[in-house]
Amino acid sequence: MTGQQLRNSILQEAIQGRLVPNVLQPGEKTGEELLKSILAERQKKENEEKGKKAKKLTLSTIEEEPWELPEGWCWCKLGDLVYMISGTSYGKGDVLSGKTDSCIRILRGGNIIDEQILYCADDVFIPASFVDKTKAIKKNDIVIIGSSGSKKAIAKASLAKEDDPSSQIGAFLRIIRNYNQSILPYVWMIFRSAYYKLYIADIVKGTNINNIKSEYIEQFDIPLPPLSIQKAIVEKIEELLPLIDEYDKAAGELETLNKILPDKLRKSVLQEAIHGSLVSNDIPEGEATGAELLQQILKERQDRENKEKGKKAKKLTLSTIEEEPWELPEGWCWCRGKDIFFPMESIKPKSDFVYIDTDAVNNKKNVIDNPKNVLFKNAPSRATRRLHANDILFSMVRPYLKNIAYVDERFASAIGTTGFYVITTSSSLYQPYIFKMMLSDYVVSGLTEYMKGDNSPSINNGHIEDFLYPIPPLSIQHRIVEKIEEVFAAIDNLPA
């Protein structure tokens, strides 16, 4: 349950008489008697203002009660408890260019924010000649939006917490004032309830109007308890709302945690994997260690070099490592990228071809999902890297750093951007292990560090080739990938 759902539930319990004990004070007026006394006050005021012309007031008729009320409560129309004041109309030519000493602020729909009345940077000011004290804001006024470009904003309500003689409502707002000040807090609670909001939503639903007539507000059915119970309800609500806010905050933090938790778990699993802590380090007898794998790859690289360059081929050696990032398990070894990644193949396309740029990788799925068919004459200058099936593409540019994907058979003859490092490795290594290793926070964060010093928008080939990578024996590489896939599947199935 969200904080808003909990708030709605508690307010509904309140107006149905289930939130506080329904105990009337000795001699206290019931809801019906309170309603009649308010009618008498209204009649007295009407008589004083209009004399003989004053009409006799009566209470509204309730055709059908929304639900059964506790003893001492009664149903009434909101119009029997409050009266409504329309806003000030003005023309564009009346608007002042800025606030002056003699002007009035006009409150509009944008000032009704989160059940409060707030000033805004784009507030409108008009000459003091428009001042109408009846339309100025008074403490405990309920201000609602009567007209708006958005149906969602219609009848949205806010409470005035203090008098504001320098502001009055514009034509699209309405002020709701109570005939009896003692019921103000309870009436405001009604306006905060889902019961009121659903009533308004039902009125505007299916119509093309973006305004609500005052009579619709006045015809709203209100459950009216005795005054002491009103007070007890409001006190209980005020006690509970801060707790609901705390719950809402905690629920929001939990929701955020639930969103980021899977990614954090995956990062943790990858870190454990490359540290040698995810699976057992049992190496079959006679299997090549990580260091021996590097010697095999060195020979393979040397054979390639000899075949390509003949007598001009230089003798290759493994890189020197001065300081290891951490101690690896037995049989593992550290190496640099240049020791395990074969040189990338450059090509200049001469016909139509499939071009894969750094934004072509869907990093949530680690797949290529939007390559482009490009004509050679329209080809970008960075379209130079020949791709092969099972190559790994690792993006080197911001904001796509770490966009990583396999080249599947569909794109075996595609051309990649220079923004990718194209990883081709020896059969002496398990390509899926290299893929998982490149996804790890150790690799991504470590390579990202190269971007910080000079605000470079990318890393370069040398950064990847000089970086240190942990290499276990081949059986452990397979074991690690199998375990990662198993744990990732479990993470994907975590309840939301």
Side-chain angles (χ1 to χ4, degrees), residues 394-397 401 447-448 450-451 456-461 463-464:
F394 188 94
S395 174
M396 300 188 292
V397 298
L401 181 69
L447 291 174
T448 303
Y450 293 114
M451 287 184 175
S456 171
S458 66
I459 57 176
N460 59 45
N461 298 348
H463 294 141
I464 292 178

Side-chain angles (χ1 to χ4, degrees), residues 153-373:
I154 296 299
K156 195 175 176 182
S158 292
L159 182 70
K161 295 185 177 180
E162 57 186 22
D163 291 345
D164 186 2
S166 65
S167 299
Q168 60 192 50
I169 60 170
F172 289 172
L173 299 185
R174 308 280 186 274
I175 289 176
I176 295 177
R177 286 189 181 142
N178 294 270
Y179 288 114
N180 186 308
Q181 293 293 305
S182 60
I183 65 172
L184 279 168
Y186 177 76
V187 172
W188 169 237
M189 188 201 68
I190 296 285
F191 275 87
R192 303 175 81 176
S193 71
Y195 171 58
Y196 166 75
K197 292 167 187 173
L198 289 172
Y199 170 76
I200 297 300
D202 191 55
I203 290 173
V204 300
K205 182 173 60 178
T207 70
N208 292 320
I209 61 170
N210 281 8
N211 60 77
I212 189 165
K213 296 178 181 179
S214 296
E215 63 193 68
Y216 293 150
I217 303 294
E218 293 167 345
Q219 288 300 307
F220 183 41
D221 292 328
I222 296 292
L224 186 68
L227 207 53
S228 66
I229 297 176
Q230 289 183 37
K231 184 178 179 182
I233 288 173
V234 171
E235 287 177 352
K236 178 58 71 173
I237 291 294
E238 294 303 325
E239 175 188 332
L240 293 174
L241 285 181
L243 300 178
I244 297 172
D245 290 339
E246 289 182 17
Y247 168 86
D248 202 17
K249 181 181 177 182
E253 290 172 350
L254 180 60
E255 183 180 358
T256 300
L257 179 61
N258 286 337
K259 287 180 180 178
I260 66 174
L261 183 59
D263 188 50
K264 284 185 173 293
L265 287 174
R266 291 187 189 94
K267 286 182 177 180
S268 178
V269 169
L270 291 171
Q271 288 296 94
E272 290 292 300
I274 63 175
H275 277 74
S277 306
L278 188 64
V279 299
S280 65
N281 198 55
D282 299 327
I283 305 171
E285 187 176 351
E287 181 178 1
T289 63
E292 290 168 342
L293 290 178
L294 291 188
Q295 290 296 332
Q296 294 175 18
I297 297 170
L298 177 64
K299 183 179 182 307
E300 189 176 347
R301 288 169 55 215
Q302 186 70 66
D303 290 344
R304 285 191 173 205
E305 189 81 4
N306 294 343
K307 185 176 180 180
E308 289 178 5
K309 300 182 180 179
K311 293 181 180 181
K312 294 182 179 180
K314 64 179 180 179
K315 185 178 180 181
L316 303 178
T317 59
L318 292 175
S319 305
T320 302
I321 297 175
E322 294 80 17
E323 185 177 350
E324 298 180 349
W326 64 80
E327 185 178 354
L328 292 172
E330 184 180 356
W332 293 47
C333 73
W334 287 101
C335 68
R336 297 195 187 276
K338 65 183 71 173
D339 296 325
I340 57 174
F341 303 152
F342 292 144
M344 289 179 284
E345 182 182 351
S346 295
I347 189 172
K348 192 162 186 178
K350 296 182 179 179
S351 61
D352 295 1
F353 62 97
V354 176
Y355 173 62
I356 299 175
D357 207 341
T358 45
D359 60 353
V361 173
N362 180 335
N363 206 38
K364 290 184 179 179
K365 299 179 180 178
N366 299 120
V367 296
I368 301 165
D369 63 4
N370 61 342
K372 305 168 186 174
N373 287 314

Side-chain angles (χ1 to χ4, degrees), residues 354 367-369 371 407-414:
V354 176
V367 296
I368 301 165
D369 63 4
V407 178
D408 62 35
E409 294 289 345
R410 294 173 301 158
F411 310 123
S413 298

